[in-house]
Amino acid sequence: MNLLRIALFLLPGATWADPGLSAFSVTTGADGSQTYTLSIQILALMTALTLLPAALMMMTSFTRIIIVLAILRLALGTGQAPTNQILIGLALFLTLFIMAPVFERSYQDAVQPYMSGRLQAEPALQKAVTPFKEFMLRQTRDGDLALFTRLSGRDGVESEQDVPLTLLMPAFITSELKTAFQIGFLLFIPFLVIDLVVASVLMAMGMMMLSPLVISLPFKIMLFVLVDGWALVVGTLASSFYT
């Protein structure tokens, strides 16, 4: 225990004795560009990873997919089947499938040149974001983009490439919410018809004490399985991003 106390006492002194920390050194090139040490790059990367969940929801197809799957489960009336973990896992893998061209282009245009030293950090970051901006612009409605442009107090943007992410992301997520609820509404209609038919039959038979949900649930599951519902839903979600 005494040795541990001595080591803890001497460790700050050893650290303070070093007049400079190499982790915080910045090297200025001949062209004026600045290169940070690897320690700062790792620190910046770990800090950026904390924003990964927000970027997943605000810049990819994840939001539309998870909302549609949640509405589908609600329309089926199966409670917690499939579970939240299954829905999130399915949404993540569908997102990877849909966003694969965007990820690949961002990797080839930005990550590879940066890792090989052919690009500096700032140009690489701009090239990495460009494929995501193009994807988001294809899914964003002009009305939503105009709304947030007006709310931000901007006069307007000359081209799509000039739209900043701070303006594009809320417009994109608003459009995604609207599209997800539209798809969910169309999915809800056939199951709602089954519920109405079953409730009407039970009322006609005088079985008012029996819950219609108990009777309609097997019919809804059977209908969903017979029409290969999961393949239809997944195919519709995937194709909705390529139109």
Side-chain angles (χ1 to χ4, degrees), residues 36-74:
Y36 300 93
T37 56
L38 184 61
S39 300
I40 293 184
Q41 294 177 7
I42 294 176
L43 178 62
L45 178 61
M46 296 301 295
T47 304
L49 287 178
T50 60
L51 302 176
L52 186 60
L56 179 66
M57 292 184 291
M58 296 291 289
M59 300 178 66
T60 66
S61 58
F62 180 82
T63 300
R64 183 189 303 186
I65 296 172
I66 192 64
I67 290 177
V68 171
L69 293 179
I71 293 177
L72 174 62
R73 184 177 65 179
L74 182 62

PDB file of all heavy atoms in Angstrom, residues 36-74:
ATOM      1  N   TYR A  36      -2.214  17.209 -37.475  1.00  0.00           N
ATOM      2  CA  TYR A  36      -2.246  16.916 -36.055  1.00  0.00           C
ATOM      3  C   TYR A  36      -1.612  15.558 -35.788  1.00  0.00           C
ATOM      4  O   TYR A  36      -1.540  14.702 -36.654  1.00  0.00           O
ATOM      5  CB  TYR A  36      -3.687  16.933 -35.529  1.00  0.00           C
ATOM      6  CG  TYR A  36      -4.368  18.256 -35.705  1.00  0.00           C
ATOM      7  CD1 TYR A  36      -5.133  18.517 -36.833  1.00  0.00           C
ATOM      8  CD2 TYR A  36      -4.238  19.261 -34.750  1.00  0.00           C
ATOM      9  CE1 TYR A  36      -5.762  19.740 -37.006  1.00  0.00           C
ATOM     10  CE2 TYR A  36      -4.863  20.482 -34.899  1.00  0.00           C
ATOM     11  CZ  TYR A  36      -5.625  20.724 -36.032  1.00  0.00           C
ATOM     12  OH  TYR A  36      -6.239  21.930 -36.210  1.00  0.00           O
ATOM     13  N   THR A  37      -1.161  15.370 -34.570  1.00  0.00           N
ATOM     14  CA  THR A  37      -0.578  14.094 -34.207  1.00  0.00           C
ATOM     15  C   THR A  37      -1.657  13.027 -34.122  1.00  0.00           C
ATOM     16  O   THR A  37      -2.845  13.320 -34.054  1.00  0.00           O
ATOM     17  CB  THR A  37       0.128  14.195 -32.844  1.00  0.00           C
ATOM     18  OG1 THR A  37      -0.823  14.672 -31.887  1.00  0.00           O
ATOM     19  CG2 THR A  37       1.303  15.139 -32.908  1.00  0.00           C
ATOM     20  N   LEU A  38      -1.222  11.782 -34.137  1.00  0.00           N
ATOM     21  CA  LEU A  38      -2.162  10.669 -34.149  1.00  0.00           C
ATOM     22  C   LEU A  38      -3.027  10.643 -32.900  1.00  0.00           C
ATOM     23  O   LEU A  38      -4.188  10.247 -32.952  1.00  0.00           O
ATOM     24  CB  LEU A  38      -1.393   9.349 -34.284  1.00  0.00           C
ATOM     25  CG  LEU A  38      -2.231   8.066 -34.401  1.00  0.00           C
ATOM     26  CD1 LEU A  38      -3.114   8.136 -35.639  1.00  0.00           C
ATOM     27  CD2 LEU A  38      -1.335   6.846 -34.438  1.00  0.00           C
ATOM     28  N   SER A  39      -2.482  11.073 -31.758  1.00  0.00           N
ATOM     29  CA  SER A  39      -3.251  11.052 -30.515  1.00  0.00           C
ATOM     30  C   SER A  39      -4.463  11.961 -30.610  1.00  0.00           C
ATOM     31  O   SER A  39      -5.560  11.608 -30.172  1.00  0.00           O
ATOM     32  CB  SER A  39      -2.359  11.477 -29.344  1.00  0.00           C
ATOM     33  OG  SER A  39      -1.265  10.602 -29.223  1.00  0.00           O
ATOM     34  N   ILE A  40      -4.300  13.152 -31.193  1.00  0.00           N
ATOM     35  CA  ILE A  40      -5.430  14.063 -31.345  1.00  0.00           C
ATOM     36  C   ILE A  40      -6.424  13.509 -32.350  1.00  0.00           C
ATOM     37  O   ILE A  40      -7.643  13.651 -32.190  1.00  0.00           O
ATOM     38  CB  ILE A  40      -4.933  15.454 -31.763  1.00  0.00           C
ATOM     39  CG1 ILE A  40      -4.139  16.085 -30.621  1.00  0.00           C
ATOM     40  CG2 ILE A  40      -6.091  16.353 -32.157  1.00  0.00           C
ATOM     41  CD1 ILE A  40      -3.684  17.481 -30.901  1.00  0.00           C
ATOM     42  N   GLN A  41      -5.960  12.857 -33.402  1.00  0.00           N
ATOM     43  CA  GLN A  41      -6.863  12.274 -34.379  1.00  0.00           C
ATOM     44  C   GLN A  41      -7.725  11.184 -33.748  1.00  0.00           C
ATOM     45  O   GLN A  41      -8.927  11.104 -34.011  1.00  0.00           O
ATOM     46  CB  GLN A  41      -6.053  11.700 -35.551  1.00  0.00           C
ATOM     47  CG  GLN A  41      -5.322  12.746 -36.363  1.00  0.00           C
ATOM     48  CD  GLN A  41      -4.478  12.140 -37.461  1.00  0.00           C
ATOM     49  OE1 GLN A  41      -4.534  10.945 -37.691  1.00  0.00           O
ATOM     50  NE2 GLN A  41      -3.688  12.965 -38.114  1.00  0.00           N
ATOM     51  N   ILE A  42      -7.107  10.365 -32.896  1.00  0.00           N
ATOM     52  CA  ILE A  42      -7.874   9.319 -32.215  1.00  0.00           C
ATOM     53  C   ILE A  42      -8.879   9.937 -31.256  1.00  0.00           C
ATOM     54  O   ILE A  42     -10.029   9.488 -31.146  1.00  0.00           O
ATOM     55  CB  ILE A  42      -6.918   8.363 -31.476  1.00  0.00           C
ATOM     56  CG1 ILE A  42      -6.062   7.601 -32.494  1.00  0.00           C
ATOM     57  CG2 ILE A  42      -7.694   7.394 -30.599  1.00  0.00           C
ATOM     58  CD1 ILE A  42      -5.028   6.697 -31.864  1.00  0.00           C
ATOM     59  N   LEU A  43      -8.465  11.000 -30.542  1.00  0.00           N
ATOM     60  CA  LEU A  43      -9.376  11.684 -29.628  1.00  0.00           C
ATOM     61  C   LEU A  43     -10.562  12.281 -30.384  1.00  0.00           C
ATOM     62  O   LEU A  43     -11.717  12.173 -29.949  1.00  0.00           O
ATOM     63  CB  LEU A  43      -8.622  12.771 -28.864  1.00  0.00           C
ATOM     64  CG  LEU A  43      -9.457  13.617 -27.886  1.00  0.00           C
ATOM     65  CD1 LEU A  43     -10.030  12.735 -26.787  1.00  0.00           C
ATOM     66  CD2 LEU A  43      -8.608  14.732 -27.292  1.00  0.00           C
ATOM     67  N   ALA A  44     -10.289  12.898 -31.534  1.00  0.00           N
ATOM     68  CA  ALA A  44     -11.383  13.463 -32.334  1.00  0.00           C
ATOM     69  C   ALA A  44     -12.299  12.371 -32.859  1.00  0.00           C
ATOM     70  O   ALA A  44     -13.525  12.542 -32.910  1.00  0.00           O
ATOM     71  CB  ALA A  44     -10.805  14.276 -33.492  1.00  0.00           C
ATOM     72  N   LEU A  45     -11.713  11.226 -33.242  1.00  0.00           N
ATOM     73  CA  LEU A  45     -12.530  10.120 -33.737  1.00  0.00           C
ATOM     74  C   LEU A  45     -13.429   9.566 -32.645  1.00  0.00           C
ATOM     75  O   LEU A  45     -14.615   9.299 -32.877  1.00  0.00           O
ATOM     76  CB  LEU A  45     -11.625   9.021 -34.294  1.00  0.00           C
ATOM     77  CG  LEU A  45     -12.326   7.755 -34.817  1.00  0.00           C
ATOM     78  CD1 LEU A  45     -13.261   8.108 -35.966  1.00  0.00           C
ATOM     79  CD2 LEU A  45     -11.314   6.716 -35.249  1.00  0.00           C
ATOM     80  N   MET A  46     -12.897   9.388 -31.441  1.00  0.00           N
ATOM     81  CA  MET A  46     -13.705   8.869 -30.339  1.00  0.00           C
ATOM     82  C   MET A  46     -14.808   9.849 -29.959  1.00  0.00           C
ATOM     83  O   MET A  46     -15.911   9.447 -29.577  1.00  0.00           O
ATOM     84  CB  MET A  46     -12.804   8.588 -29.132  1.00  0.00           C
ATOM     85  CG  MET A  46     -11.762   7.502 -29.380  1.00  0.00           C
ATOM     86  SD  MET A  46     -12.498   5.924 -29.845  1.00  0.00           S
ATOM     87  CE  MET A  46     -13.371   5.530 -28.323  1.00  0.00           C
ATOM     88  N   THR A  47     -14.521  11.150 -30.063  1.00  0.00           N
ATOM     89  CA  THR A  47     -15.563  12.140 -29.798  1.00  0.00           C
ATOM     90  C   THR A  47     -16.645  12.098 -30.859  1.00  0.00           C
ATOM     91  O   THR A  47     -17.845  12.212 -30.550  1.00  0.00           O
ATOM     92  CB  THR A  47     -14.942  13.546 -29.743  1.00  0.00           C
ATOM     93  OG1 THR A  47     -13.895  13.572 -28.761  1.00  0.00           O
ATOM     94  CG2 THR A  47     -15.988  14.585 -29.378  1.00  0.00           C
ATOM     95  N   ALA A  48     -16.242  11.904 -32.116  1.00  0.00           N
ATOM     96  CA  ALA A  48     -17.231  11.836 -33.196  1.00  0.00           C
ATOM     97  C   ALA A  48     -18.108  10.604 -33.081  1.00  0.00           C
ATOM     98  O   ALA A  48     -19.278  10.624 -33.507  1.00  0.00           O
ATOM     99  CB  ALA A  48     -16.530  11.864 -34.553  1.00  0.00           C
ATOM    100  N   LEU A  49     -17.577   9.526 -32.515  1.00  0.00           N
ATOM    101  CA  LEU A  49     -18.370   8.304 -32.378  1.00  0.00           C
ATOM    102  C   LEU A  49     -19.556   8.497 -31.438  1.00  0.00           C
ATOM    103  O   LEU A  49     -20.557   7.785 -31.556  1.00  0.00           O
ATOM    104  CB  LEU A  49     -17.488   7.163 -31.868  1.00  0.00           C
ATOM    105  CG  LEU A  49     -16.499   6.577 -32.881  1.00  0.00           C
ATOM    106  CD1 LEU A  49     -15.651   5.491 -32.232  1.00  0.00           C
ATOM    107  CD2 LEU A  49     -17.227   6.023 -34.096  1.00  0.00           C
ATOM    108  N   THR A  50     -19.469   9.448 -30.507  1.00  0.00           N
ATOM    109  CA  THR A  50     -20.598   9.701 -29.623  1.00  0.00           C
ATOM    110  C   THR A  50     -21.788  10.287 -30.380  1.00  0.00           C
ATOM    111  O   THR A  50     -22.923  10.201 -29.910  1.00  0.00           O
ATOM    112  CB  THR A  50     -20.186  10.660 -28.500  1.00  0.00           C
ATOM    113  OG1 THR A  50     -19.741  11.908 -29.063  1.00  0.00           O
ATOM    114  CG2 THR A  50     -19.062  10.063 -27.673  1.00  0.00           C
ATOM    115  N   LEU A  51     -21.528  10.887 -31.540  1.00  0.00           N
ATOM    116  CA  LEU A  51     -22.606  11.442 -32.365  1.00  0.00           C
ATOM    117  C   LEU A  51     -23.140  10.441 -33.379  1.00  0.00           C
ATOM    118  O   LEU A  51     -24.020  10.779 -34.165  1.00  0.00           O
ATOM    119  CB  LEU A  51     -22.106  12.688 -33.098  1.00  0.00           C
ATOM    120  CG  LEU A  51     -21.575  13.829 -32.230  1.00  0.00           C
ATOM    121  CD1 LEU A  51     -21.031  14.949 -33.108  1.00  0.00           C
ATOM    122  CD2 LEU A  51     -22.659  14.358 -31.306  1.00  0.00           C
ATOM    123  N   LEU A  52     -22.596   9.212 -33.358  1.00  0.00           N
ATOM    124  CA  LEU A  52     -23.011   8.220 -34.346  1.00  0.00           C
ATOM    125  C   LEU A  52     -24.488   7.859 -34.265  1.00  0.00           C
ATOM    126  O   LEU A  52     -25.153   7.750 -35.311  1.00  0.00           O
ATOM    127  CB  LEU A  52     -22.144   6.960 -34.207  1.00  0.00           C
ATOM    128  CG  LEU A  52     -22.342   5.878 -35.260  1.00  0.00           C
ATOM    129  CD1 LEU A  52     -22.040   6.428 -36.653  1.00  0.00           C
ATOM    130  CD2 LEU A  52     -21.467   4.670 -34.965  1.00  0.00           C
ATOM    131  N   PRO A  53     -25.091   7.654 -33.071  1.00  0.00           N
ATOM    132  CA  PRO A  53     -26.537   7.354 -33.045  1.00  0.00           C
ATOM    133  C   PRO A  53     -27.391   8.467 -33.644  1.00  0.00           C
ATOM    134  O   PRO A  53     -28.352   8.199 -34.361  1.00  0.00           O
ATOM    135  CB  PRO A  53     -26.824   7.157 -31.551  1.00  0.00           C
ATOM    136  CG  PRO A  53     -25.519   6.765 -30.961  1.00  0.00           C
ATOM    137  CD  PRO A  53     -24.484   7.528 -31.732  1.00  0.00           C
ATOM    138  N   ALA A  54     -27.028   9.728 -33.354  1.00  0.00           N
ATOM    139  CA  ALA A  54     -27.787  10.839 -33.925  1.00  0.00           C
ATOM    140  C   ALA A  54     -27.619  10.890 -35.439  1.00  0.00           C
ATOM    141  O   ALA A  54     -28.579  11.140 -36.176  1.00  0.00           O
ATOM    142  CB  ALA A  54     -27.348  12.163 -33.294  1.00  0.00           C
ATOM    143  N   ALA A  55     -26.392  10.656 -35.928  1.00  0.00           N
ATOM    144  CA  ALA A  55     -26.165  10.645 -37.374  1.00  0.00           C
ATOM    145  C   ALA A  55     -26.914   9.503 -38.041  1.00  0.00           C
ATOM    146  O   ALA A  55     -27.399   9.629 -39.167  1.00  0.00           O
ATOM    147  CB  ALA A  55     -24.666  10.545 -37.666  1.00  0.00           C
ATOM    148  N   LEU A  56     -27.018   8.362 -37.352  1.00  0.00           N
ATOM    149  CA  LEU A  56     -27.743   7.220 -37.907  1.00  0.00           C
ATOM    150  C   LEU A  56     -29.207   7.562 -38.125  1.00  0.00           C
ATOM    151  O   LEU A  56     -29.809   7.151 -39.125  1.00  0.00           O
ATOM    152  CB  LEU A  56     -27.609   6.022 -36.964  1.00  0.00           C
ATOM    153  CG  LEU A  56     -28.326   4.741 -37.380  1.00  0.00           C
ATOM    154  CD1 LEU A  56     -27.712   4.173 -38.652  1.00  0.00           C
ATOM    155  CD2 LEU A  56     -28.274   3.703 -36.263  1.00  0.00           C
ATOM    156  N   MET A  57     -29.790   8.311 -37.216  1.00  0.00           N
ATOM    157  CA  MET A  57     -31.204   8.663 -37.345  1.00  0.00           C
ATOM    158  C   MET A  57     -31.432   9.847 -38.267  1.00  0.00           C
ATOM    159  O   MET A  57     -32.465   9.935 -38.933  1.00  0.00           O
ATOM    160  CB  MET A  57     -31.793   8.954 -35.955  1.00  0.00           C
ATOM    161  CG  MET A  57     -31.893   7.732 -35.065  1.00  0.00           C
ATOM    162  SD  MET A  57     -32.679   8.074 -33.479  1.00  0.00           S
ATOM    163  CE  MET A  57     -31.437   9.103 -32.702  1.00  0.00           C
ATOM    164  N   MET A  58     -30.480  10.790 -38.311  1.00  0.00           N
ATOM    165  CA  MET A  58     -30.702  12.041 -39.027  1.00  0.00           C
ATOM    166  C   MET A  58     -30.170  12.043 -40.451  1.00  0.00           C
ATOM    167  O   MET A  58     -30.511  12.938 -41.228  1.00  0.00           O
ATOM    168  CB  MET A  58     -30.039  13.189 -38.257  1.00  0.00           C
ATOM    169  CG  MET A  58     -30.621  13.439 -36.887  1.00  0.00           C
ATOM    170  SD  MET A  58     -32.288  14.110 -36.947  1.00  0.00           S
ATOM    171  CE  MET A  58     -31.958  15.759 -37.558  1.00  0.00           C
ATOM    172  N   MET A  59     -29.353  11.048 -40.835  1.00  0.00           N
ATOM    173  CA  MET A  59     -28.713  11.095 -42.144  1.00  0.00           C
ATOM    174  C   MET A  59     -28.856   9.808 -42.951  1.00  0.00           C
ATOM    175  O   MET A  59     -28.298   9.715 -44.047  1.00  0.00           O
ATOM    176  CB  MET A  59     -27.221  11.423 -41.975  1.00  0.00           C
ATOM    177  CG  MET A  59     -26.940  12.742 -41.309  1.00  0.00           C
ATOM    178  SD  MET A  59     -25.179  13.077 -41.070  1.00  0.00           S
ATOM    179  CE  MET A  59     -24.614  13.216 -42.766  1.00  0.00           C
ATOM    180  N   THR A  60     -29.598   8.824 -42.435  1.00  0.00           N
ATOM    181  CA  THR A  60     -29.743   7.551 -43.135  1.00  0.00           C
ATOM    182  C   THR A  60     -31.220   7.187 -43.233  1.00  0.00           C
ATOM    183  O   THR A  60     -32.103   7.943 -42.828  1.00  0.00           O
ATOM    184  CB  THR A  60     -28.978   6.427 -42.414  1.00  0.00           C
ATOM    185  OG1 THR A  60     -29.571   6.183 -41.129  1.00  0.00           O
ATOM    186  CG2 THR A  60     -27.514   6.798 -42.219  1.00  0.00           C
ATOM    187  N   SER A  61     -31.462   5.977 -43.733  1.00  0.00           N
ATOM    188  CA  SER A  61     -32.833   5.489 -43.926  1.00  0.00           C
ATOM    189  C   SER A  61     -33.392   4.831 -42.672  1.00  0.00           C
ATOM    190  O   SER A  61     -34.495   4.274 -42.715  1.00  0.00           O
ATOM    191  CB  SER A  61     -32.847   4.478 -45.076  1.00  0.00           C
ATOM    192  OG  SER A  61     -31.960   3.405 -44.815  1.00  0.00           O
ATOM    193  N   PHE A  62     -32.683   4.871 -41.569  1.00  0.00           N
ATOM    194  CA  PHE A  62     -33.091   4.132 -40.369  1.00  0.00           C
ATOM    195  C   PHE A  62     -34.429   4.603 -39.828  1.00  0.00           C
ATOM    196  O   PHE A  62     -35.271   3.775 -39.431  1.00  0.00           O
ATOM    197  CB  PHE A  62     -32.003   4.264 -39.296  1.00  0.00           C
ATOM    198  CG  PHE A  62     -32.319   3.552 -38.015  1.00  0.00           C
ATOM    199  CD1 PHE A  62     -32.094   2.197 -37.894  1.00  0.00           C
ATOM    200  CD2 PHE A  62     -32.840   4.249 -36.930  1.00  0.00           C
ATOM    201  CE1 PHE A  62     -32.386   1.530 -36.711  1.00  0.00           C
ATOM    202  CE2 PHE A  62     -33.134   3.587 -35.751  1.00  0.00           C
ATOM    203  CZ  PHE A  62     -32.910   2.228 -35.634  1.00  0.00           C
ATOM    204  N   THR A  63     -34.653   5.904 -39.804  1.00  0.00           N
ATOM    205  CA  THR A  63     -35.873   6.441 -39.188  1.00  0.00           C
ATOM    206  C   THR A  63     -37.117   5.943 -39.894  1.00  0.00           C
ATOM    207  O   THR A  63     -38.082   5.484 -39.253  1.00  0.00           O
ATOM    208  CB  THR A  63     -35.829   7.978 -39.208  1.00  0.00           C
ATOM    209  OG1 THR A  63     -34.693   8.436 -38.468  1.00  0.00           O
ATOM    210  CG2 THR A  63     -37.085   8.556 -38.584  1.00  0.00           C
ATOM    211  N   ARG A  64     -37.150   6.012 -41.219  1.00  0.00           N
ATOM    212  CA  ARG A  64     -38.322   5.561 -41.965  1.00  0.00           C
ATOM    213  C   ARG A  64     -38.586   4.079 -41.727  1.00  0.00           C
ATOM    214  O   ARG A  64     -39.737   3.660 -41.527  1.00  0.00           O
ATOM    215  CB  ARG A  64     -38.143   5.817 -43.460  1.00  0.00           C
ATOM    216  CG  ARG A  64     -39.351   5.434 -44.291  1.00  0.00           C
ATOM    217  CD  ARG A  64     -39.064   5.486 -45.789  1.00  0.00           C
ATOM    218  NE  ARG A  64     -38.603   6.803 -46.217  1.00  0.00           N
ATOM    219  CZ  ARG A  64     -38.394   7.130 -47.490  1.00  0.00           C
ATOM    220  NH1 ARG A  64     -38.597   6.222 -48.451  1.00  0.00           N
ATOM    221  NH2 ARG A  64     -37.972   8.328 -47.812  1.00  0.00           N
ATOM    222  N   ILE A  65     -37.531   3.285 -41.716  1.00  0.00           N
ATOM    223  CA  ILE A  65     -37.694   1.838 -41.587  1.00  0.00           C
ATOM    224  C   ILE A  65     -38.237   1.465 -40.217  1.00  0.00           C
ATOM    225  O   ILE A  65     -39.187   0.678 -40.095  1.00  0.00           O
ATOM    226  CB  ILE A  65     -36.349   1.131 -41.853  1.00  0.00           C
ATOM    227  CG1 ILE A  65     -35.912   1.365 -43.293  1.00  0.00           C
ATOM    228  CG2 ILE A  65     -36.450  -0.359 -41.566  1.00  0.00           C
ATOM    229  CD1 ILE A  65     -34.513   0.870 -43.598  1.00  0.00           C
ATOM    230  N   ILE A  66     -37.673   2.016 -39.154  1.00  0.00           N
ATOM    231  CA  ILE A  66     -38.087   1.621 -37.812  1.00  0.00           C
ATOM    232  C   ILE A  66     -39.504   2.091 -37.514  1.00  0.00           C
ATOM    233  O   ILE A  66     -40.269   1.395 -36.816  1.00  0.00           O
ATOM    234  CB  ILE A  66     -37.080   2.149 -36.756  1.00  0.00           C
ATOM    235  CG1 ILE A  66     -37.329   1.489 -35.396  1.00  0.00           C
ATOM    236  CG2 ILE A  66     -37.144   3.653 -36.651  1.00  0.00           C
ATOM    237  CD1 ILE A  66     -37.106   0.004 -35.382  1.00  0.00           C
ATOM    238  N   ILE A  67     -39.915   3.240 -38.043  1.00  0.00           N
ATOM    239  CA  ILE A  67     -41.283   3.716 -37.815  1.00  0.00           C
ATOM    240  C   ILE A  67     -42.278   2.822 -38.532  1.00  0.00           C
ATOM    241  O   ILE A  67     -43.327   2.448 -37.978  1.00  0.00           O
ATOM    242  CB  ILE A  67     -41.419   5.179 -38.259  1.00  0.00           C
ATOM    243  CG1 ILE A  67     -40.652   6.101 -37.314  1.00  0.00           C
ATOM    244  CG2 ILE A  67     -42.891   5.598 -38.298  1.00  0.00           C
ATOM    245  CD1 ILE A  67     -40.683   7.552 -37.717  1.00  0.00           C
ATOM    246  N   VAL A  68     -41.987   2.443 -39.768  1.00  0.00           N
ATOM    247  CA  VAL A  68     -42.896   1.564 -40.515  1.00  0.00           C
ATOM    248  C   VAL A  68     -43.010   0.202 -39.839  1.00  0.00           C
ATOM    249  O   VAL A  68     -44.112  -0.354 -39.717  1.00  0.00           O
ATOM    250  CB  VAL A  68     -42.409   1.418 -41.972  1.00  0.00           C
ATOM    251  CG1 VAL A  68     -43.201   0.335 -42.692  1.00  0.00           C
ATOM    252  CG2 VAL A  68     -42.550   2.742 -42.709  1.00  0.00           C
ATOM    253  N   LEU A  69     -41.906  -0.339 -39.372  1.00  0.00           N
ATOM    254  CA  LEU A  69     -41.958  -1.635 -38.693  1.00  0.00           C
ATOM    255  C   LEU A  69     -42.738  -1.543 -37.384  1.00  0.00           C
ATOM    256  O   LEU A  69     -43.474  -2.476 -37.031  1.00  0.00           O
ATOM    257  CB  LEU A  69     -40.540  -2.141 -38.432  1.00  0.00           C
ATOM    258  CG  LEU A  69     -39.710  -2.504 -39.663  1.00  0.00           C
ATOM    259  CD1 LEU A  69     -38.312  -2.961 -39.244  1.00  0.00           C
ATOM    260  CD2 LEU A  69     -40.391  -3.583 -40.492  1.00  0.00           C
ATOM    261  N   ALA A  70     -42.603  -0.448 -36.665  1.00  0.00           N
ATOM    262  CA  ALA A  70     -43.356  -0.281 -35.419  1.00  0.00           C
ATOM    263  C   ALA A  70     -44.854  -0.159 -35.696  1.00  0.00           C
ATOM    264  O   ALA A  70     -45.681  -0.729 -34.970  1.00  0.00           O
ATOM    265  CB  ALA A  70     -42.847   0.947 -34.667  1.00  0.00           C
ATOM    266  N   ILE A  71     -45.228   0.580 -36.738  1.00  0.00           N
ATOM    267  CA  ILE A  71     -46.647   0.699 -37.096  1.00  0.00           C
ATOM    268  C   ILE A  71     -47.197  -0.648 -37.560  1.00  0.00           C
ATOM    269  O   ILE A  71     -48.345  -1.005 -37.261  1.00  0.00           O
ATOM    270  CB  ILE A  71     -46.834   1.776 -38.178  1.00  0.00           C
ATOM    271  CG1 ILE A  71     -46.501   3.163 -37.607  1.00  0.00           C
ATOM    272  CG2 ILE A  71     -48.263   1.774 -38.719  1.00  0.00           C
ATOM    273  CD1 ILE A  71     -46.582   4.276 -38.633  1.00  0.00           C
ATOM    274  N   LEU A  72     -46.396  -1.413 -38.295  1.00  0.00           N
ATOM    275  CA  LEU A  72     -46.829  -2.740 -38.735  1.00  0.00           C
ATOM    276  C   LEU A  72     -47.110  -3.655 -37.547  1.00  0.00           C
ATOM    277  O   LEU A  72     -48.115  -4.380 -37.529  1.00  0.00           O
ATOM    278  CB  LEU A  72     -45.758  -3.352 -39.633  1.00  0.00           C
ATOM    279  CG  LEU A  72     -45.976  -4.802 -40.072  1.00  0.00           C
ATOM    280  CD1 LEU A  72     -47.244  -4.926 -40.901  1.00  0.00           C
ATOM    281  CD2 LEU A  72     -44.772  -5.309 -40.843  1.00  0.00           C
ATOM    282  N   ARG A  73     -46.248  -3.636 -36.555  1.00  0.00           N
ATOM    283  CA  ARG A  73     -46.487  -4.449 -35.360  1.00  0.00           C
ATOM    284  C   ARG A  73     -47.749  -3.999 -34.634  1.00  0.00           C
ATOM    285  O   ARG A  73     -48.531  -4.828 -34.147  1.00  0.00           O
ATOM    286  CB  ARG A  73     -45.282  -4.369 -34.424  1.00  0.00           C
ATOM    287  CG  ARG A  73     -45.402  -5.260 -33.202  1.00  0.00           C
ATOM    288  CD  ARG A  73     -44.158  -5.199 -32.342  1.00  0.00           C
ATOM    289  NE  ARG A  73     -43.944  -3.883 -31.773  1.00  0.00           N
ATOM    290  CZ  ARG A  73     -42.926  -3.568 -30.953  1.00  0.00           C
ATOM    291  NH1 ARG A  73     -42.032  -4.497 -30.646  1.00  0.00           N
ATOM    292  NH2 ARG A  73     -42.793  -2.348 -30.483  1.00  0.00           N
ATOM    293  N   LEU A  74     -47.979  -2.690 -34.582  1.00  0.00           N
ATOM    294  CA  LEU A  74     -49.192  -2.177 -33.958  1.00  0.00           C
ATOM    295  C   LEU A  74     -50.434  -2.592 -34.736  1.00  0.00           C
ATOM    296  O   LEU A  74     -51.467  -2.928 -34.143  1.00  0.00           O
ATOM    297  CB  LEU A  74     -49.105  -0.653 -33.846  1.00  0.00           C
ATOM    298  CG  LEU A  74     -50.283   0.061 -33.168  1.00  0.00           C
ATOM    299  CD1 LEU A  74     -50.414  -0.397 -31.723  1.00  0.00           C
ATOM    300  CD2 LEU A  74     -50.091   1.570 -33.234  1.00  0.00           C
TER     301      LEU A  74
END
